[in-house]
Amino acid sequence: MYILVMINVMFGFLFLSGIKYIIFCAMSKTKYSLRYFVLFVIVILVTTHSLSILGHSVQVLYLVLLGVLPNRQTQNIHLICFYGLYAILTVSALGTILQSFGELFLPSHFFVDDVVTLYDSIATPILIGIIQFGVIKMIAPNLEIIRKNQHLQKSNRLKFINSLLSISLILYLLTYQFNNTSYKNAVNMFFVISLISLLVYLKNTTQNYFNFQLAQQKQQQLDHLTTYTTQIEDLYKSINGFRHDYANLIVSLETSIQAGDINQIRSIYEDVLKNSPNVLNHGNHTLGSLTKIDIPTIKSILSNKIILALEKGIHIEFEIEQKWSTCHVDVFDYIRMLGILLDNAIEASEACSVAFINIAFITDNIKQEHRLIIENSTNQEFINIGHIFQDGVTSKGANRGIGLSNMQHILSNYEQAHIETEYSNYRFRQTLITQG
């Protein structure tokens, strides 16, 4: 019987440790590692034995250090502290609450050593896991918004949340010092209120930010659409004017041909026909191809960047095979990546004597795959492709913007998206591939 009890206790200990570790990794987007989990279990064993309840503080510190190492470039220390505090506090406090519920609602014959052990070591961890899974699924979209925005990560609101969790953890730890039922119930109630307040506060904060971003994006889209409409109107006027001139040209040619006036025919060719390709191939005509893109926000940013490039004297070639109606990832993330690639291409090519950017949208219906290809000229004789995605690399170094490190962070959220990079003969090409 003693061996069975010990097995149950060890099972419960490992289960709860695993839940804490998995919660932290899931929230912080840290890769799971068996090595770090084993070390975490050792930390819990050592600190619980030597420091008793203060060991929980060491556990929080360990998780924070675990999160800082891979995420220090993209996630602020306040956000990582939130992950650690949440993982340790909620598992421990929920365990206490569930045990209290068991004492209140379970029949009295349950309270023999073996049954109590089974409830505490098996039923309680399973219930904690179910509750935590539901909570994380609920707050995951809000955390994703915070992870994308450094301002929210450094805000006083997040510091307030961490303070609330820290107070809850301290009060929870003191329950072992004051073995008093009334105090324990008060602490449990404070924890529940804190958790509900946290969830509501987190949702409101991120929702307000999302609404602000949406309003800002709509305004930018409207501004881009206005510019795009103006350019299309200019394009229509130029084509209409050329059509009118072309009709007059045909009449002039007909008269000259009937009269056999070779000099007049040669003059018409030199003055008008010879320059007609320049009119027909003017950069503004590129914008006409954007009608095949059915996603307004992508069409908007493309038109804006193409117009910007044309104003800088950069030659633009744009190719799209068929209607483009989906990008297989979040549209906001896609336009962020598109903006990074186009900004970098403009920055790199405008410094060249022969400046050009080639843009192509290719759809593979068999593979359910979209390819966005952006190729630009560059005056760099050599580009270290493996180096350009590192944080801190700027256009002064590898002739690419620091946005590429942010782009890698965005892509890390999607298994069905990646980027391919090529460089040869002063041509730099990046291909963004999304599948769905």
Side-chain angles (χ1 to χ4, degrees), residues 164-234:
L164 198 62
L165 291 178
S166 299
I167 293 172
S168 298
L169 182 60
I170 292 171
L171 292 176
Y172 164 74
L173 296 179
L174 290 176
T175 57
Y176 292 94
Q177 296 295 112
F178 306 104
N179 192 16
N180 181 281
T181 303
S182 299
Y183 177 81
K184 185 184 295 185
N185 292 336
V187 171
N188 289 341
M189 184 60 66
F190 180 83
F191 166 74
V192 171
I193 294 173
S194 298
L195 182 60
I196 294 174
S197 301
L198 182 149
L199 296 177
V200 173
Y201 198 64
L202 190 63
K203 181 175 178 59
N204 289 341
T205 300
T206 52
Q207 188 63 44
N208 291 338
Y209 176 76
F210 178 77
N211 291 336
F212 170 76
Q213 288 287 91
L214 188 61
Q216 192 176 48
Q217 183 181 330
K218 285 182 178 179
Q219 184 58 48
Q220 289 179 349
Q221 182 179 340
L222 181 61
D223 294 340
H224 294 170
L225 189 59
T226 301
T227 307
Y228 173 65
T229 302
T230 302
Q231 293 290 330
I232 291 296
E233 289 175 354
D234 292 341

Side-chain angles (χ1 to χ4, degrees), residues 218-325:
K218 285 182 178 179
Q219 184 58 48
Q220 289 179 349
Q221 182 179 340
L222 181 61
D223 294 340
H224 294 170
L225 189 59
T226 301
T227 307
Y228 173 65
T229 302
T230 302
Q231 293 290 330
I232 291 296
E233 289 175 354
D234 292 341
L235 173 61
Y236 174 78
K237 290 177 182 178
S238 67
I239 292 176
N240 197 40
F242 181 79
R243 184 180 62 180
H244 180 268
D245 294 340
Y246 190 76
N248 293 332
L249 174 66
I250 295 299
V251 173
S252 299
L253 273 176
E254 182 181 8
T255 303
S256 300
I257 291 171
Q258 289 175 352
D261 189 345
I262 299 299
N263 291 330
Q264 181 66 23
I265 295 172
R266 183 179 290 111
S267 176
I268 293 173
Y269 171 77
E270 291 290 339
D271 295 340
V272 182
L273 289 179
K274 191 175 182 179
N275 294 323
S276 62
N278 294 331
V279 176
L280 293 174
N281 293 325
H282 189 272
N284 286 352
H285 293 256
T286 301
L287 298 173
S289 300
L290 296 181
T291 56
K292 292 183 179 179
I293 296 178
D294 288 338
I295 306 174
T297 49
I298 294 179
K299 182 189 294 186
S300 173
I301 192 172
L302 270 171
S303 63
N304 179 263
K305 299 301 182 183
I306 288 173
I307 292 169
L308 176 63
L310 291 172
E311 290 174 348
K312 292 177 177 290
I314 300 172
H315 178 73
I316 300 290
E317 291 287 343
F318 184 84
E319 176 188 351
I320 182 167
E321 296 177 333
Q322 53 188 285
K323 286 286 185 180
W324 186 283
S325 57

Side-chain angles (χ1 to χ4, degrees), residues 18-32 40 59-68 70-71 79-88 136 147:
I19 291 174
K20 292 177 182 178
Y21 182 76
I22 291 172
I23 288 172
F24 179 82
C25 291
M27 294 179 71
S28 64
K29 294 292 185 179
T30 302
K31 291 184 178 179
Y32 300 97
F40 179 55
Q59 296 170 29
V60 173
L61 180 61
Y62 173 83
L63 290 179
V64 170
L65 292 174
L66 180 65
V68 166
N71 301 311
L79 184 59
I80 297 174
C81 285
F82 166 72
Y83 299 144
L85 283 166
Y86 180 89
I88 299 300
I136 290 177
R147 271 193 290 269

Side-chain angles (χ1 to χ4, degrees), residues 375-415:
E375 182 183 65
N376 62 270
S377 56
T378 175
N379 57 12
Q380 291 290 111
E381 185 175 355
F382 172 76
I383 296 178
N384 187 341
I385 293 176
H387 182 59
I388 61 174
F389 291 96
Q390 297 177 9
D391 185 64
V393 176
T394 69
S395 58
K396 294 179 181 179
N399 208 20
R400 307 299 288 175
I402 58 174
L404 287 178
S405 62
N406 295 332
M407 186 169 178
Q408 284 290 79
H409 178 62
I410 296 171
L411 287 171
S412 67
N413 296 319
Y414 299 100
E415 294 182 358

